[in-house]
Amino acid sequence: MSTARHSSNAELLDPPRSCPDLDVRDLEKRTRLMRIVTRLIAVSDLGCREIARRAGLPAQKISDLLAGRLEHLSLDELRLVYHSIDPEGALNY
């Protein structure tokens, strides 16, 4: 007896893909930007609280970013953090 399902049955059981976190392109952009921002934070003389203050975000968001919890930050929030560290940086996201 086979335990494999037909793909048509699997599609019916999958959750709907309307959640913005499931958008692959958005996730790729956020991942790339997260890597850039975490590197900037590492070489910056600014502390996490100062970065959060400049970006207008709670300090917990910066902690989430540094812990790799990408799902807690939107692309706009990542852009804010980027520009709070490097105000003149040319970001194309």
Side-chain angles (χ1 to χ4, degrees):
M1 181 172 161
S2 174
T3 58
R5 290 188 273 172
H6 295 291
S7 64
S8 61
N9 289 341
E11 290 171 4
L12 295 175
L13 299 175
D14 284 344
R17 301 203 183 269
S18 61
C19 178
D21 288 333
L22 296 177
D23 182 12
V24 174
R25 279 174 259 157
D26 178 65
L27 185 59
E28 287 174 348
K29 286 179 184 178
R30 289 191 296 151
T31 302
R32 285 187 199 128
L33 189 50
M34 180 191 79
R35 289 180 180 157
I36 292 168
V37 170
T38 53
R39 285 183 192 136
L40 284 174
I41 291 171
V43 299
S44 162
D45 291 333
L46 301 171
C48 292
R49 289 183 189 196
E50 178 62 19
I51 293 168
R53 186 192 64 74
R54 289 182 178 195
L57 296 171
Q60 183 61 44
K61 291 277 189 171
I62 306 303
S63 295
D64 290 341
L65 171 66
L66 294 174
R69 293 187 207 104
L70 187 58
E71 67 276 6
H72 293 192
L73 292 120
S74 69
L75 190 56
D76 290 335
E77 289 172 329
L78 287 166
R79 287 180 184 136
L80 283 171
V81 174
Y82 176 85
H83 288 295
S84 71
I85 300 168
D86 188 9
E88 297 181 22
L91 186 64
N92 294 325
Y93 283 95

